[in-house]
């Protein structure tokens, strides 16, 4: 072995680079400096893919163009991304050779940070596939899981999703119709409600039985919403059985009416089948920091403007002042409807100073609400494309099943 000889050849992706051993020791690439400190061929093969003893040539199965840009950085001190190459892939090449993101130019660092933040946050992570033995032992269970949990995975899954959506629509129509003053079809309504609840209950139980991780299934937001939508029906039935109340008394009871209205959560079940609702949920979860920031902006502005409005409209003249602004909490209502540009007109400033403050409040509300919108919009577009790509992957499998 001649790794300590005067001339070394690096074969990176089929492209050769020749350097002296002394130059390689001075290069800011930790992999190459470690390479020259190896004392055995086994240590060499831990750092490179192959080694030719006769020609003193080290082989690396890496991206040759990326290595060329890295060597340009070594020569000129400026490192930028390779054109038409994924930033994350180039960053992996940098880490392989021993560079960090701080070695990049500032513009490329910002681009890398954006790409990494986009790639590392997921609301619907791809579930890990089970081990090989589990697939071979339970192929039917895996097929059932995909049918119930992935509406676009097969024809049967699409039919099942369509039936589920139909039951949701029917249950919502019956819930809305039951609030009409002259609604009389109570017996038919109870039968339809029982059928819908039976379908939702069976669907939830099957989802639980075919899920891979039962504890993870219980913690999912959509499954919790399903449970909240189903339980009120059984609670109302149990209360009716225990108290003997008829349907008319049930409608009059405050507790039972609240339980009935909780069935409006059935609408959220549509998120399982419609990409738009999934995109909305994914965006809200990814942008919770921006949403909290927006809430903080509004609360701070509300505290400032409500105190000033109460002082200008009522505090300076307690007798003849505007009594709509008698307290800061009352002025908070005016601030929030002004900042959101709703302006119900139920209360408004009378003094000149109060009107000037109102104009400033409206303009400030527009500015404060607009600040986080760019981040939320960017996240919404990204979430939509991710879910669309995931749906396309499932659609390809569906097309293959249809052709077969």
């Amino acid at each position: 072995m001649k790794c300590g000889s005067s001339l070394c050849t690096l074969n990176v992706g089929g492209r050769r680079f020749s350097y002296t051993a002394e130059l390689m020791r001075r290069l800011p690439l930790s992999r190459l400096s470690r390479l020259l400190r190896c004392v055995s061929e086994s240590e060499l093969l831990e750092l490179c893919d192959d080694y030719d003893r006769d020609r003193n040539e080290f082989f690396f199965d890496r991206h040759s163009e990326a290595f060329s840009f890295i060597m340009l950085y070594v020569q000129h001190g400026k490192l930028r991304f390779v054109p038409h190459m994924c930033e994350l892939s180039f960053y992996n090449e940098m880490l392989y050779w021993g560079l960090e993101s701080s070695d990049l130019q500032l513009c490329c660092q910002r681009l890398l940070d954006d790409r990494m933040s986009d790639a590392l946050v997921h609301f619907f992570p791809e579930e890990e596939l089970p081990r090989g033995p589990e697939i071979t032992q339970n192929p039917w269970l895996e097929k059932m899981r995909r049918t119930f949990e992935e509406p676009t995975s097969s024809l049967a899954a699409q039919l099942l999703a369509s039936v589920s959506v139909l039951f949701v629509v029917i249950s919502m129509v019956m819930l809305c119709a039951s609030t009409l003053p002259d609604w009389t079809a109570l017996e038919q309504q109870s039968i339809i409600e029982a059928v819908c609840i039976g379908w939702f209950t069976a669907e939830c139980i099957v989802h639980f039985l075919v899920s891979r991780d039962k504890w993870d299934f219980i913690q999912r937001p959509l499954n919790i919403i399903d449970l909240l939508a189903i339980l009120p029906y059984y609670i109302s039935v149990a209360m009716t059985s225990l108290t003997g109340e008829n349907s008319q008394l049930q409608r009059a009871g405050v507790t039972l009416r609240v339980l009935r209205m909780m069935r409006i959560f059935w609408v959220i079940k549509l998120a399982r089948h419609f990409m738009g609702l999934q995109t909305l949920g994914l965006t809200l979860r990814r942008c919770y920091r921006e949403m909290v920031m927006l809430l903080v902006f509004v609360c701070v502005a509300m505290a400032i403007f409500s105190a000033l409005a109460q002082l200008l409209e009522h505090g300076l003249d307690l007798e003849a002042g505007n009594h709509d602004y008698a307290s800061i909490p009352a002025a908070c209502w005016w601030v929030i409807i002004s900042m959101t540009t709703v302006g119900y007109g139920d209360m408004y400033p009378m003094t000149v100073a109060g009107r000037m403050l109102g104009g400033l409040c409206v303009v400030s509300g527009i500015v404060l609400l607009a600040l986080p919108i760019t981040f939320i919009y960017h996240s919404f577009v990204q979430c939509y494309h991710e879910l669309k790509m995931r749906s396309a992957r499932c659609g390809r499998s569906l097309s293959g099943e249809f052709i077969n």
Side-chain angles (χ1 to χ4, degrees):
M1 186 173 62
K2 302 183 295 182
C3 63
S5 61
S6 59
L7 188 63
C8 301
T9 302
L10 305 179
N11 191 318
V12 182
R15 186 175 176 181
R16 289 177 175 172
F17 303 84
S18 297
Y19 304 99
T20 62
E22 182 61 29
L23 177 61
M24 287 179 59
R25 287 190 182 94
R26 291 189 285 107
L27 292 179
L29 305 179
S30 60
R31 182 171 292 268
L32 297 183
S33 58
R34 288 163 53 199
L35 195 69
L36 295 180
R37 292 196 298 266
C38 295
V39 296
S40 65
E41 190 167 345
S42 60
E43 294 182 8
L44 281 175
L45 294 179
E46 292 179 1
L47 299 173
C48 62
D49 297 304
D50 200 1
Y51 173 67
D52 189 335
R53 182 194 303 265
D54 298 330
R55 294 185 297 180
N56 197 29
E57 185 172 357
F58 304 92
F59 293 88
F60 298 90
D61 188 14
R62 307 300 298 185
H63 199 285
S64 59
E65 189 174 2
F67 184 74
S68 301
F69 270 67
I70 291 175
M71 295 312 298
L72 288 176
Y73 160 69
V74 172
Q75 297 173 10
H76 304 288
K78 293 184 179 180
L79 180 60
R80 293 186 174 89
F81 287 129
V82 178
H84 312 298
M85 181 178 180
C86 175
E87 291 83 2
L88 297 179
S89 299
F90 185 77
Y91 182 55
N92 287 332
E93 295 293 324
M94 291 171 52
L95 295 178
Y96 178 83
W97 294 109
L99 298 177
E100 298 293 339
S101 60
S102 57
D103 296 313
L104 285 166
Q105 292 293 296
L106 186 59
C107 58
C108 294
Q109 285 186 27
R110 296 196 191 100
L111 185 59
L112 178 63
D113 291 340
D114 293 340
R115 290 300 305 269
M116 292 185 69
S117 63
D118 293 344
L120 294 179
V121 184
H122 298 283
F123 179 61
F124 294 109
E126 294 290 341
E127 298 181 1
E128 294 183 1
L129 293 176
R131 302 294 189 270
E134 185 176 348
I135 295 180
T136 56
Q137 292 175 6
N138 302 300
W140 180 83
L141 186 63
E142 178 65 18
K143 187 174 182 180
M144 286 287 294
R145 187 200 65 79
R146 289 179 59 85
T147 301
F148 278 88
E149 295 187 1
E150 300 178 11
T152 59
S153 61
S154 64
L155 293 175
Q158 284 194 348
L159 291 176
L160 192 66
S162 301
V163 174
S164 181
V165 171
L166 180 62
F167 273 106
V168 171
V169 173
I170 292 175
S171 62
M172 287 297 99
V173 171
M174 296 305 299
L175 179 63
C176 296
S178 64
T179 59
L180 295 174
D182 54 348
W183 179 256
T184 57
L186 298 176
E187 184 177 354
Q188 294 85 344
Q189 174 191 344
S190 61
I191 296 175
I192 295 175
E193 284 184 354
V195 173
C196 293
I197 287 293
W199 170 266
F200 296 147
T201 305
E203 189 179 29
C204 189
I205 293 174
V206 174
H207 272 119
F208 177 76
L209 293 177
V210 302
S211 63
R212 297 194 186 104
D213 188 345
K214 301 298 188 291
W215 178 246
D216 179 66
F217 175 86
I218 296 174
Q219 292 179 315
R220 292 181 184 176
L222 287 180
N223 297 328
I224 295 175
I225 292 172
D226 288 346
L227 188 63
L228 292 177
I230 294 172
L231 281 181
Y233 176 82
Y234 291 104
I235 294 175
S236 62
V237 170
M239 292 180 66
T240 302
S241 301
L242 294 175
T243 60
E245 293 180 340
N246 57 28
S247 301
Q248 295 294 335
L249 292 178
Q250 282 188 30
R251 297 181 67 178
V254 176
T255 303
L256 292 177
R257 277 187 282 138
V258 171
L259 292 175
R260 286 178 60 84
M261 285 301 108
M262 286 183 65
R263 299 179 196 175
I264 199 67
F265 285 122
W266 287 338
V267 175
I268 306 180
K269 289 173 65 68
L270 297 176
R272 295 183 182 274
H273 315 296
F274 292 98
M275 187 185 302
L277 294 176
Q278 294 177 11
T279 306
L280 177 61
L282 177 54
T283 304
L284 292 177
R285 180 157 183 175
R286 288 191 178 180
C287 296
Y288 74 93
R289 291 186 180 89
E290 286 78 11
M291 301 297 291
V292 172
M293 180 175 62
L294 177 61
L295 183 61
V296 171
F297 288 167
V298 173
C299 290
V300 171
M302 187 186 305
I304 296 174
F305 285 110
S306 60
L308 293 177
Q310 193 274 338
L311 176 65
L312 296 176
E313 291 294 313
H314 186 266
L316 298 179
D317 189 353
L318 298 179
E319 298 296 331
N322 191 342
H323 293 285
D324 288 337
Y325 297 83
S327 65
I328 291 179
C332 284
W333 170 250
W334 170 78
V335 172
I336 190 64
I337 63 175
S338 299
M339 291 185 65
T340 55
T341 65
V342 176
Y344 290 118
D346 53 345
M347 55 188 298
Y348 50 88
M350 299 290 189
T351 64
V352 176
R355 291 176 179 177
M356 293 178 62
L357 179 69
L360 182 61
C361 178
V362 172
V363 174
S364 301
I366 295 175
V367 174
L368 292 178
L369 293 176
L371 288 177
I373 294 301
T374 302
F375 302 101
I376 298 174
Y377 169 76
H378 173 73
S379 180
F380 181 85
V381 173
Q382 176 193 346
C383 296
Y384 176 75
H385 286 303
E386 289 182 9
L387 293 177
K388 191 174 181 180
M389 291 174 60
R390 182 180 178 186
S391 178
R393 288 197 297 268
C394 295
R396 286 195 294 269
S397 63
L398 175 61
S399 301
E401 178 179 341
F402 181 78
I403 294 174
N404 292 335

